[in-house]
């Protein structure tokens, strides 16, 4: 069993930076791939970024590539999402999710929400123009 708690959201201006944290409990967390998703106002949840169990492989949604960085600190059981050059369209509730690392860690597979077994409660990020 894995429990996830996101933090670090807030209200910022366009061009600012934020770092989101996803703190996990559970002794097997280090074996899980972790993804960040977001739900913009009035829209469906969408993939943002994902990182494999070792932290050696990452994938990003095209609109955040070059602006967001996902990383993990296994000793702290925490995954981070460093967000820079934020835009108003990045406004959303951000969720982290953990999924069992089975099979090959591919972009096509791990950008799908159904791969993830555990979800946090979300943290709000609001970017003003």
């Amino acid at each position: 069993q894995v429990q996830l708690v996101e933090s670090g959201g807030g209200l910022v201006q366009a061009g600012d930076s934020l770092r989101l944290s996803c703190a996990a409990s559970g002794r097997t967390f280090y074996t899980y791939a972790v993804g960040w998703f977001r739900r913009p106002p009035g829209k469906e949840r969408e993939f943002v970024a994902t990182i494999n169990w070792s932290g050696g492989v990452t994938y990003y949604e095209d609109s955040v590539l070059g602006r967001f960085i996902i990383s993990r600190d296994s000793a702290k059981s925490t995954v981070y999402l460093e967000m820079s050059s934020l835009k108003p369209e990045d406004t959303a509730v951000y969720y982290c999710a953990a999924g069992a690392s089975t099979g090959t860690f591919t972009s096509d597979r791990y950008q799908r929400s159904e791969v993830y077994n555990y979800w946090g409660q979300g943290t709000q990020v609001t970017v003003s123009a």
Side-chain angles (χ1 to χ4, degrees), residues 28-87:
T28 61
F29 176 70
Y30 71 95
T31 68
Y32 284 77
V34 176
W36 283 97
F37 291 76
R38 64 187 180 188
R39 187 188 299 274
K43 297 184 179 180
E44 297 292 316
R45 186 172 58 194
E46 60 188 29
F47 167 76
V48 176
T50 186
I51 189 166
N52 76 331
W53 69 273
S54 71
V57 184
T58 58
Y59 298 114
Y60 298 90
E61 193 272 328
D62 287 347
S63 71
V64 307
L65 190 63
R67 299 189 299 123
F68 291 11
I69 298 175
I70 187 171
S71 62
R72 68 191 300 163
D73 185 336
S74 295
K76 296 181 178 180
S77 294
T78 302
V79 173
Y80 303 99
L81 186 68
E82 299 269 4
M83 306 186 295
S84 61
S85 301
L86 283 162
K87 305 175 181 180

Side-chain angles (χ1 to χ4, degrees), residues 11-16 86-91 126-129:
L11 172 62
V12 297
Q13 294 185 329
D16 285 352
L86 283 162
K87 305 175 181 180
E89 51 264 44
D90 293 319
T91 294
T126 303
V127 184
S128 63

